[in-house]
Amino acid sequence: MKDKTPVTIEVRNLVKTFGSFKALDGVDLKVDGGELVALLGPSGSGKTTLLRIVAGLDWPDSGEVFISGEDALAQGARERHVGFVFQHYALFRHMTVFENVAFGLRVQPRAVRKDEAGIRARVKELLDLVQLDWLSDRYPSQLSGGQRQRIALARALAIEPRILLLDEPFGALDAKVRKELRRWLRSLHHEINVTSIFVTHDQEEALEVANRVVVMDKGRIEQIGSPDDVYETPATAFVHGFIGESIELPVHVDGGVIRLGDRPLQLAADGLAPGASKLFVRRHDMLVGPPGTGAFEGAVQHVRNFGPVQRAEVALSGGETIEIDAPRDRELRAGDTIGLNPRRYRIFAG
Amino acid sequence: MTMQIADTMSLSASDSKARAQAAAARDNLRTEPRAVRIAIITLAVLFLTVFVVLPLVVVFAQAFSRGILAYFTALAEPEAMAAIKLTLIVAAISVGLNLVFGLVAAWAIAKFDFPGKTFLITLIDLPFSVSPVISGLVFVLLFGAQGYFGSWLRDHDIQILFAVPGIVLATTFVTFPFVARALIPLMQEQGTQEEEAATSLGASGLQTFFRVTLPNIKWGVLYGVLLCNARAMGEFGAVSVVSGHIRGETNTMPLLVEILYNEYQFVAAFAIASLLAMLALITLIAKTVLERHLDEGQDASDH
């Protein structure tokens, strides 16, 4: 596997509808060899559909898919040599772990099929890779969720796939196991160096594991970028609202002034189109000061402590209520009147 | 105030009695009164005895009423042997046909979406909702001398009605829902993910079917085949219409039982009936075993 150059994936203008529902609405994406890309979006955003089309398990209404520069839509799922890991694992329930992993090797055409000893050696190697060789005689129903997930991965890797696709790989696992497996997946990807795409609705997972994140909504790609890019400089209002915990305020831009309700905000409005807009601030980017300082002013409603931060609900004088995360060095109390100044903010038209 | 004290005193005095009463009251809340329970269970047992156990006992009692020798002599009659042989042949062919048909239909319905799917599901149930006599008559209308294909068949010297092909057709028609019915819910529940996994791992359609789909539904298949076989061997109405009752040639076991009985050959009639009864008993036992396997399979699939 290691000696091969990782392949590229490219999709052009993919459209797919289910009845009247537009699952994909003109999607273009290029994945370079060896990348680990996350498709991130809420349910119904089309991410799983995109993944299944690349795998050959679904077919687009129009558009093109290229794997390693070859037209993949001219091939069935069988010919594409794509490793696919299903959300619910889809392990063969009547086969042992060993036979599950061996499946892809056993169904190969006779001319290229390994002999029994070769298959045994390869399965052993894969089970070692996922650190579960001691489970080879068990049945899937006897495994934990995390173990099933790793076996599903080993099975997909058995055919030496050109690319690896994972559909919500950790979606059905509990939080602790999920965190462990994330780190493990990243190091595994580093080790095997196969171009990989995984689907997730969990932003933390996407930001932690992937080297590039594709944010999707309503069948369209909203932003493609590094985890830092999508977090620090969201391209659209949707991305800002979806990734990280954001405060969203409806504002009005007019003649170089940003207003929240009637109140003009002391914020730079350079280059903003006039009209109704949305102001986004990360919760922890709202700095607390004495009343009268800062762009906003409000009364603290109540405060809860979350480890290193205190989360305060603040009723702004404009009538909106927001939640901010402030450091614990200055305790806030319900009833306090405070000034708030966004350290960083972004304004999107609409 | 004084009343309350008196109550408490009497309670502590007859503590155990009160506790027993409380327990009885609790039982009455949790379940029906004892008398009602006994009445219901007795009724059920009585009903089963009269309508199920008694007939079964009578069949065997009548069959052996002149001794074991008479029993086996009756079974060894050429007519009886012919009926047994014909029944086995007909059952084997129609179960085989319905196995293939049922698998294909269930596969198509459970794994694919296509227009007319609901109609197909309804159509599969048709033989269950139509009287078997009507099913038989349909074949008479199609293949009889006055039927649609009657003259063509006569010209080509092909005998369907009043011969083995007619009996096979009628039996197949009457029993065709069994396998499909057993498999459709099972396959729908299992979904298509394992098949998709197999395909993406490079398996061909046939490999996917024989290595993934079939092993997953094998107990369901056996269950369907078992019920299909029981009905195929026991079918009377549809077969009676198309068979022509030619002795030693087109009489299946159920038809022969009726004929022998009408001729007052009770031992012979019940001897053959006892074979059918034994088939029923074996079917029941096998069914129980299979149902256990099916439940286990479901548990195993419970992620």
Side-chain angles (χ1 to χ4, degrees), chain A residues 300-326:
Chain A
V300 177
Q301 302 290 303
H302 51 81
V303 184
R304 278 166 299 156
N305 289 325
F306 284 97
V309 299
Q310 47 186 336
R311 178 162 299 169
E313 206 177 292
V314 181
L316 297 182
S317 48
E320 306 279 338
T321 301
I322 61 171
E323 276 190 342
I324 61 164
D325 286 345

Short mmCIF file of all heavy atoms in Angstrom, two decimals, chain A residues 300-326:
data_model
loop_
_atom_site.label_atom_id
_atom_site.label_comp_id
_atom_site.label_asym_id
_atom_site.label_seq_id
_atom_site.Cartn_x
_atom_site.Cartn_y
_atom_site.Cartn_z
N VAL A 300 -26.64 40.91 33.21
CA VAL A 300 -26.41 39.48 33.37
C VAL A 300 -27.66 38.84 33.95
O VAL A 300 -28.19 39.30 34.96
CB VAL A 300 -25.20 39.22 34.29
CG1 VAL A 300 -25.01 37.72 34.51
CG2 VAL A 300 -23.94 39.84 33.69
N GLN A 301 -28.18 37.79 33.29
CA GLN A 301 -29.39 37.12 33.76
C GLN A 301 -29.05 36.00 34.72
O GLN A 301 -29.54 35.95 35.83
CB GLN A 301 -30.18 36.56 32.58
CG GLN A 301 -30.57 37.59 31.55
CD GLN A 301 -31.64 38.52 32.07
OE1 GLN A 301 -32.71 38.08 32.47
NE2 GLN A 301 -31.36 39.82 32.10
N HIS A 302 -28.27 35.04 34.23
CA HIS A 302 -27.69 34.09 35.19
C HIS A 302 -26.41 33.50 34.66
O HIS A 302 -26.09 33.63 33.48
CB HIS A 302 -28.68 33.02 35.66
CG HIS A 302 -29.38 32.31 34.55
ND1 HIS A 302 -28.81 31.30 33.86
CD2 HIS A 302 -30.63 32.49 34.05
CE1 HIS A 302 -29.67 30.87 32.95
NE2 HIS A 302 -30.78 31.58 33.04
N VAL A 303 -25.69 32.86 35.56
CA VAL A 303 -24.32 32.43 35.27
C VAL A 303 -24.16 30.97 35.66
O VAL A 303 -24.65 30.55 36.71
CB VAL A 303 -23.30 33.29 36.07
CG1 VAL A 303 -21.87 32.90 35.70
CG2 VAL A 303 -23.55 34.76 35.85
N ARG A 304 -23.53 30.19 34.80
CA ARG A 304 -23.17 28.81 35.16
C ARG A 304 -21.68 28.62 34.87
O ARG A 304 -21.15 29.25 33.96
CB ARG A 304 -23.97 27.81 34.32
CG ARG A 304 -25.36 27.54 34.84
CD ARG A 304 -26.18 26.84 33.79
NE ARG A 304 -26.29 27.67 32.59
CZ ARG A 304 -26.53 27.19 31.38
NH1 ARG A 304 -26.67 25.90 31.21
NH2 ARG A 304 -26.63 28.01 30.36
N ASN A 305 -21.07 27.76 35.64
CA ASN A 305 -19.64 27.55 35.44
C ASN A 305 -19.39 26.27 34.66
O ASN A 305 -19.94 25.22 34.98
CB ASN A 305 -18.93 27.48 36.79
CG ASN A 305 -18.88 28.84 37.44
OD1 ASN A 305 -18.76 29.86 36.76
ND2 ASN A 305 -19.01 28.86 38.76
N PHE A 306 -18.56 26.36 33.63
CA PHE A 306 -18.16 25.19 32.85
C PHE A 306 -16.64 25.10 32.91
O PHE A 306 -15.95 25.72 32.09
CB PHE A 306 -18.57 25.34 31.39
CG PHE A 306 -20.03 25.11 31.16
CD1 PHE A 306 -20.92 26.16 31.10
CD2 PHE A 306 -20.51 23.81 31.02
CE1 PHE A 306 -22.26 25.94 30.89
CE2 PHE A 306 -21.85 23.59 30.81
CZ PHE A 306 -22.74 24.65 30.74
N GLY A 307 -16.12 24.40 33.87
CA GLY A 307 -14.66 24.26 33.95
C GLY A 307 -13.99 25.60 33.95
O GLY A 307 -14.24 26.43 34.82
N PRO A 308 -13.15 25.87 32.95
CA PRO A 308 -12.36 27.10 32.96
C PRO A 308 -13.17 28.36 32.63
O PRO A 308 -12.66 29.46 32.81
CB PRO A 308 -11.29 26.85 31.89
CG PRO A 308 -11.90 25.85 30.99
CD PRO A 308 -12.80 25.00 31.81
N VAL A 309 -14.37 28.21 32.12
CA VAL A 309 -15.13 29.42 31.75
C VAL A 309 -16.43 29.53 32.54
O VAL A 309 -16.92 28.54 33.10
CB VAL A 309 -15.47 29.45 30.24
CG1 VAL A 309 -14.22 29.45 29.40
CG2 VAL A 309 -16.40 28.31 29.88
N GLN A 310 -16.96 30.73 32.59
CA GLN A 310 -18.31 30.92 33.11
C GLN A 310 -19.20 31.33 31.94
O GLN A 310 -18.82 32.16 31.12
CB GLN A 310 -18.33 31.97 34.21
CG GLN A 310 -17.58 33.24 33.87
CD GLN A 310 -17.50 34.19 35.06
OE1 GLN A 310 -18.33 34.13 35.95
NE2 GLN A 310 -16.51 35.07 35.06
N ARG A 311 -20.33 30.66 31.84
CA ARG A 311 -21.25 30.98 30.75
C ARG A 311 -22.37 31.85 31.29
O ARG A 311 -23.10 31.46 32.20
CB ARG A 311 -21.83 29.71 30.14
CG ARG A 311 -22.84 30.00 29.04
CD ARG A 311 -23.05 28.77 28.19
NE ARG A 311 -21.80 28.36 27.56
CZ ARG A 311 -21.64 27.19 26.93
NH1 ARG A 311 -22.62 26.34 26.86
NH2 ARG A 311 -20.48 26.89 26.39
N ALA A 312 -22.47 33.06 30.75
CA ALA A 312 -23.44 34.01 31.26
C ALA A 312 -24.49 34.32 30.21
O ALA A 312 -24.18 34.46 29.03
CB ALA A 312 -22.75 35.30 31.69
N GLU A 313 -25.74 34.38 30.64
CA GLU A 313 -26.80 34.80 29.76
C GLU A 313 -26.98 36.30 29.98
O GLU A 313 -27.18 36.74 31.11
CB GLU A 313 -28.07 34.05 30.13
CG GLU A 313 -29.04 33.89 28.99
CD GLU A 313 -30.23 33.07 29.45
OE1 GLU A 313 -30.05 31.86 29.71
OE2 GLU A 313 -31.33 33.64 29.56
N VAL A 314 -26.85 37.07 28.92
CA VAL A 314 -26.88 38.53 29.04
C VAL A 314 -28.01 39.09 28.20
O VAL A 314 -28.11 38.77 27.01
CB VAL A 314 -25.53 39.13 28.57
CG1 VAL A 314 -25.55 40.65 28.73
CG2 VAL A 314 -24.37 38.52 29.35
N ALA A 315 -28.85 39.91 28.83
CA ALA A 315 -29.91 40.59 28.08
C ALA A 315 -29.35 41.92 27.59
O ALA A 315 -29.03 42.79 28.40
CB ALA A 315 -31.13 40.81 28.97
N LEU A 316 -29.20 42.05 26.27
CA LEU A 316 -28.65 43.29 25.73
C LEU A 316 -29.69 44.40 25.82
O LEU A 316 -30.90 44.12 25.83
CB LEU A 316 -28.23 43.09 24.27
CG LEU A 316 -27.12 42.08 24.02
CD1 LEU A 316 -26.78 42.04 22.55
CD2 LEU A 316 -25.88 42.41 24.85
N SER A 317 -29.19 45.63 25.83
CA SER A 317 -30.14 46.74 25.95
C SER A 317 -31.02 46.85 24.70
O SER A 317 -32.08 47.44 24.72
CB SER A 317 -29.40 48.05 26.22
OG SER A 317 -28.32 48.17 25.31
N GLY A 318 -30.57 46.24 23.61
CA GLY A 318 -31.39 46.25 22.39
C GLY A 318 -32.56 45.28 22.47
O GLY A 318 -33.44 45.26 21.60
N GLY A 319 -32.59 44.42 23.50
CA GLY A 319 -33.69 43.48 23.63
C GLY A 319 -33.30 42.03 23.37
O GLY A 319 -34.03 41.13 23.74
N GLU A 320 -32.15 41.82 22.72
CA GLU A 320 -31.72 40.45 22.43
C GLU A 320 -31.07 39.83 23.67
O GLU A 320 -30.47 40.54 24.48
CB GLU A 320 -30.67 40.47 21.31
CG GLU A 320 -31.12 41.18 20.06
CD GLU A 320 -31.97 40.29 19.19
OE1 GLU A 320 -31.87 39.06 19.34
OE2 GLU A 320 -32.74 40.80 18.37
N THR A 321 -31.19 38.50 23.79
CA THR A 321 -30.48 37.81 24.86
C THR A 321 -29.41 36.92 24.24
O THR A 321 -29.69 36.17 23.30
CB THR A 321 -31.45 36.97 25.69
OG1 THR A 321 -32.45 37.84 26.23
CG2 THR A 321 -30.74 36.27 26.84
N ILE A 322 -28.19 37.03 24.75
CA ILE A 322 -27.09 36.23 24.20
C ILE A 322 -26.40 35.46 25.31
O ILE A 322 -26.57 35.76 26.49
CB ILE A 322 -26.05 37.12 23.47
CG1 ILE A 322 -25.45 38.12 24.45
CG2 ILE A 322 -26.68 37.84 22.29
CD1 ILE A 322 -24.27 38.88 23.87
N GLU A 323 -25.63 34.42 24.89
CA GLU A 323 -24.82 33.68 25.86
C GLU A 323 -23.37 33.95 25.56
O GLU A 323 -22.94 33.86 24.40
CB GLU A 323 -25.10 32.18 25.75
CG GLU A 323 -26.29 31.75 26.54
CD GLU A 323 -26.41 30.23 26.63
OE1 GLU A 323 -25.77 29.55 25.80
OE2 GLU A 323 -27.13 29.75 27.50
N ILE A 324 -22.59 34.28 26.58
CA ILE A 324 -21.15 34.50 26.37
C ILE A 324 -20.36 33.57 27.27
O ILE A 324 -20.86 33.10 28.29
CB ILE A 324 -20.75 35.97 26.67
CG1 ILE A 324 -21.04 36.30 28.15
CG2 ILE A 324 -21.46 36.95 25.76
CD1 ILE A 324 -20.33 37.55 28.62
N ASP A 325 -19.12 33.26 26.83
CA ASP A 325 -18.21 32.48 27.66
C ASP A 325 -17.10 33.42 28.12
O ASP A 325 -16.34 33.93 27.29
CB ASP A 325 -17.60 31.32 26.86
CG ASP A 325 -18.62 30.22 26.64
OD1 ASP A 325 -19.65 30.23 27.33
OD2 ASP A 325 -18.38 29.36 25.77
N ALA A 326 -17.02 33.69 29.41
CA ALA A 326 -16.00 34.60 29.93
C ALA A 326 -15.05 33.84 30.82
O ALA A 326 -15.45 32.87 31.46
CB ALA A 326 -16.67 35.73 30.71
#
